[in-house]
């Protein structure tokens, strides 16, 4: 179907931060398959985990215990201070699970028409419920009727949230800690803390969508660790499998027990192959001190970009947390995607921003190449 508009390039091989196309040309990947291949392409430990598991067992079914799923669930719960996990195959599915849990929570509290507050310019996925949760009329166009009921509030505006405190049908607030798809929008440092306080006062579930920010992208395993908070529900996907499809909806306390046998499911979700791979991802992050590296290299990248672009009259601002980086320009820049490709660089353009999500393992030499290429692109505008 025509729902994608692929660039005129196709890759056949990947290694670390580099991809090779059908003609043998190498490209620096500063997008990581949209925040997925955090440990780089074909990381040897991940390849080994996949190969070893593939020789033993791919798939059984959730009708039986799955050892690696249980181990991964325990590990994730321990890392995120959560009580239980549901595994699906994507970010949208992780968020669907979160939305269903919020509804069960509402009905348990005699709320017949539960409402979830989400943010304008948010992105939570493309299934009907997650598209309805997404705060983008542009993405929703043509798909009415949407799933009831989500109310979209201004992001990073605590008063906008407070205005809904009287509404007894609200059951949850669902946010990205940093809005990724709308161009790396970073809220005030205490915004999430204030949101959590309001949720606690009103007995609303606090759902954090860390599909893009999670698994080390910001320099913490989960972005909400910067706020020293624990949400009631946390969703993950993308980098958790480093390219193997997995989604996870983690829940704590009152949110953790609402799914009962038969209330939700997935055929593929949490199978031995993906769970063994995700376990290997978490092991590498720990073993190779990836989080410290992300903080250091992220700071280096953003400070060098700031330094080299400080006199540019085309840059509005540079927003960065770890290796989530956006360079907002004062003009349309969609054509930079093609120009970058010609320069053997893979980036994303979101609105008027260049968005960079390089592999977490990017080293200083590669970072310097990236900086030079970006500065060249901006100067050539
Ligand atoms: C914050 C966030 N949530 C959900 C999704 C949807 O994930 P998926 O495409 O795996 O369904 C994305 C994808 O970009 C995302 O960035």
């Amino acid at each position: 179907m025509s729902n994608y508009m692929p660039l005129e390039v196709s890759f056949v091989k990947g290694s670390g931060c580099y991809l090779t196309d059908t003609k043998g040309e190498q490209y620096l990947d500063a997008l990581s398959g949209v925040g997925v291949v955090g440990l780089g392409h074909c990381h040897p430990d991940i390849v080994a985990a996949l190969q070893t598991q593939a020789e033993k067992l791919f798939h059984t079914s959730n009708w039986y215990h799955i050892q690696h799923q249980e181990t991964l669930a325990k590990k994730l719960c321990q890392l995120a201070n959560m009580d239980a996990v549901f595994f699906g195959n994507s970010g949208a599915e992780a968020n669907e699970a979160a939305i269903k849990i919020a509804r069960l929570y509402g009905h348990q509290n005699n709320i017949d028409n539960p409402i979830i507050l989400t943010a304008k310019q948010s992105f939570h996925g493309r299934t009907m419920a997650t598209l309805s949760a997404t705060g983008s009329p542009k993405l929703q166009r043509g798909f009415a009727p949407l799933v009831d009921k989500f109310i979209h509030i201004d992001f990073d505006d605590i008063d906008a949230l407070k205005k809904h405190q009287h509404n007894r049908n609200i059951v949850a607030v669902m946010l990205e800690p940093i809005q990724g798809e709308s161009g790396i929008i970073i809220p005030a440092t205490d915004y999430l803390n204030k949101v959590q306080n309001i949720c606690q006062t009103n007995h609303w579930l606090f759902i954090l969508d860390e599909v893009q920010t999670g698994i080390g992208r910001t320099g913490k395993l989960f972005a909400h660790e910067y706020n020293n908070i624990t949400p009631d529900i946390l969703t993950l996907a993308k980098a958790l499998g480093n390219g193997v499809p997995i989604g996870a909806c983690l829940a704590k306390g009152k949110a953790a027990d609402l799914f009962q046998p038969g209330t939700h499911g997935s055929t593929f979700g949490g199978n031995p192959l993906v769970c063994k791979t995700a376990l290997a991802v978490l092991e590498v992050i720990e073993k190779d001190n990836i989080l410290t590296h992300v903080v250091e290299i992220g700071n280096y990248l953003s400070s060098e970009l700031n330094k080299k672009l400080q006199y540019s009259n085309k840059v509005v601002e540079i927003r960065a947390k770890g290796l989530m980086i956006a360079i907002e320009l004062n003009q349309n820049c969609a054509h930079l995607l093609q120009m970058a490709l010609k320069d053997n660089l893979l980036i994303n353009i979101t609105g008027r921003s260049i968005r960079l999500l390089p592999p977490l393992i990017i080293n200083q030499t590669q970072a310097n190449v990236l900086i030079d290429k970006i500065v060249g692109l901006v100067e050539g505008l």
Side-chain angles (χ1 to χ4, degrees), residues 318-371:
I318 297 178
R319 297 181 290 272
K321 192 84 181 169
L323 285 172
M324 279 184 111
I325 303 169
I327 301 136
E328 187 179 331
L329 304 171
N330 63 2
Q331 53 197 277
N332 289 332
C333 56
H335 62 289
L336 288 187
L337 201 61
Q338 283 291 351
M339 285 175 67
L341 191 68
K342 276 198 193 126
D343 194 22
N344 295 46
L345 173 68
L346 306 178
I347 56 168
N348 172 251
I349 303 294
T350 305
R352 289 180 161 189
S353 295
I354 300 172
R355 182 168 58 138
L356 306 175
L357 300 168
L360 309 182
I361 51 150
I362 188 169
N363 65 28
Q364 193 160 343
T365 312
Q366 293 157 344
N368 285 333
V369 174
L370 175 58
I371 292 159

Side-chain angles (χ1 to χ4, degrees), residues 41-61:
H41 296 280
C42 300
H43 188 289
D45 291 20
I46 307 305
V47 172
L50 255 173
Q51 277 176 341
T52 312
Q53 186 57 39
E55 280 167 17
K56 285 190 188 152
L57 186 64
F58 282 50
H59 180 87
T60 51
S61 155

Side-chain angles (χ1 to χ4, degrees), residues 90-92 95 123-125 176 181 209 211-212 238:
S90 65
N95 287 333
F123 185 81
H124 298 293
E176 297 157 86
E181 290 304 288
D209 174 349
V211 166
Q212 191 160 146
K238 288 191 185 279

Side-chain angles (χ1 to χ4, degrees), residues 34 89-93 95 123-127 130 176 178-181 209-213 235 237-238 246 355:
V34 200
N89 313 283
S90 65
E93 282 173 83
N95 287 333
F123 185 81
H124 298 293
R126 302 281 197 156
T127 60
T130 59
E176 297 157 86
I178 294 172
Q179 292 188 327
E181 290 304 288
D209 174 349
E210 293 234 29
V211 166
Q212 191 160 146
T213 52
T235 59
K238 288 191 185 279
I246 183 168
R355 182 168 58 138

Side-chain angles (χ1 to χ4, degrees), residues 63-88:
W63 291 357
Y64 315 103
H65 281 277
I66 300 173
Q67 211 186 357
H68 297 323
Q69 183 189 115
E70 290 171 12
T71 310
L72 178 63
K74 278 201 189 97
K75 181 86 191 162
L76 283 172
C77 282
Q78 176 209 331
L79 291 168
N81 189 21
M82 288 281 168
D83 295 328
V85 190
F86 167 80
F87 289 106

